[in-house]
Amino acid sequence: SRWFHGGPTPSLGSRRARPKIYRDDLREAVECAFLGDEGRGREHLLATLRRDGFVSMHAADATGILETRAFRWPKGRRLHVNVAATTGWLKVTVLDHRGNSVRGFQASSVLSGDHTDVAVTWPGQDGRVPSSDPIRLRFQIHNADLFSYWLK
């Protein structure tokens, strides 16, 4: 038997159910595919993906560094990341527009484990950058994947 996927006729191919389903930190999409030489059998497939998990910045045994462009950190918001660091770690430094580390935000607490939404913390800080001046972020990644970051 064969799988028909995206065939040219309406009776063959796969169709994605809409809307996508969001459950916890996973994105799910149900697909209906037709199985068989003439498309007689049907199979419903469930694809489960990590939220924001299509692309990551990966660092293996060497420590990788990623710096963002300058942006303004909205008042009262905290930095969150989606990171897979089960055998590694991630640290974040907040930099001013000149590339110097911001006092109190030189090195975050080390993050390890598999987290799709975890707040980044700095020792002695509440996680909110005290300045409205443009800043950049420097991510240090070791044997881990950084999928995304955001402020909330």
Side-chain angles (χ1 to χ4, degrees):
S1 60
R2 304 182 300 175
W3 282 99
F4 293 98
H5 187 273
T9 63
S11 63
L12 302 176
S14 67
R15 296 193 173 32
R16 181 176 296 140
R18 298 196 197 279
K20 291 184 173 112
I21 303 163
Y22 294 94
R23 182 179 54 85
D24 298 324
D25 294 323
L26 301 175
R27 180 177 305 184
E28 298 178 337
V30 177
E31 300 229 355
C32 178
F34 300 93
L35 177 64
D37 291 333
E38 297 176 13
R40 286 186 291 243
R42 289 186 189 199
E43 295 288 329
H44 293 277
L45 309 171
L46 176 65
T48 304
L49 306 170
R50 176 190 192 102
R51 186 177 290 265
D52 295 333
F54 291 106
V55 177
S56 71
M57 294 302 295
H58 175 74
D61 294 333
T63 300
I65 295 176
L66 169 71
E67 286 190 15
T68 68
R69 293 181 180 178
F71 64 94
R72 292 190 190 278
W73 187 310
K75 186 177 180 178
R77 297 207 178 168
R78 291 186 170 95
L79 177 65
H80 289 249
V81 294
N82 179 347
V83 63
T86 54
T87 60
W89 50 264
L90 174 125
K91 291 191 288 188
V92 184
T93 302
V94 178
L95 308 172
D96 64 17
H97 68 282
R98 292 185 184 99
N100 302 313
S101 57
V102 173
R103 186 174 176 200
F105 294 88
Q106 291 91 342
S108 71
S109 299
V110 174
L111 289 171
S112 61
D114 191 4
H115 306 282
T116 55
D117 183 356
V118 65
V120 177
T121 60
W122 287 265
Q125 302 295 331
D126 69 356
R128 298 177 183 148
V129 174
S131 174
S132 62
D133 294 334
I135 58 99
R136 294 187 328 212
L137 300 174
R138 176 183 293 150
F139 293 93
Q140 294 177 333
I141 310 163
H142 184 82
N143 204 24
D145 289 280
L146 173 63
F147 292 96
S148 61
Y149 68 92
W150 63 96
L151 301 169
K152 76 174 181 181

